[in-house]
Amino acid sequence: MIYPIVPYGDPVLRKIAQEIDPEVFDVKQFVADLYETMYEAAGVGLAAPQVGKSIRIFVVDGRPLNDPDEDDGDDFEPDPSLIDFKMAFINPEITATDGGKWAYEEGCLSIPGIRSDVLRPERITINYFDEDGNEFTRDFDGMAARIIQHEYDHLEGKLFTDYMPILKRQILKKRLADITKGNVKVDYRMKFPR
Ligand code: NI
């Protein structure tokens, strides 16, 4: 099932998401639906709050970023962290960050048409469960660590626009308000307030 994606300004994106009890909640079906929704929108990550559910689950598939055909630059280099980087994170907890902060221009399916540099630490350690209930503690670096941090922020009610310098946020104020109202061109399904 493909969910509509909620836009910037929807209060669910500002909530701290709740841990889920996999005994009660059908994690497998929901994870499958998140993947389907993410692929439909051509995203590399999607968090449950973005489909209106304030629970601690997100999915990632960064592999398309390693496809040279998808890249418009001349100096394309595949990122080793993205090999096999398709997975679901359930009740995740980032327990450590490490390394220097580096900038990359991020976007978000809830904030179509806007991109901005975000500084994030190079490496993370994260504890999480997969959709089969297996628990992992793993280190990630490179683009994989970045995607995880972006999605993890969604569970904490945080958006990449929060990292923008105040001036840039002021300049984009009207465009952000337009996104909230649905005055934005987007080629996947979103759920705007009526
Ligand atoms: Ni996002």
Side-chain angles (χ1 to χ4, degrees), residues 96-116:
T97 62
D98 183 27
K101 288 191 173 186
W102 61 291
Y104 182 82
E105 198 176 52
E106 296 188 11
C108 180
L109 293 176
S110 293
I111 314 173
I114 291 181
R115 301 189 71 86
S116 182

Side-chain angles (χ1 to χ4, degrees), residues 50 108-109 150-151 154:
Q50 294 181 273
C108 180
L109 293 176
H150 176 114
E151 299 311 324
H154 278 299

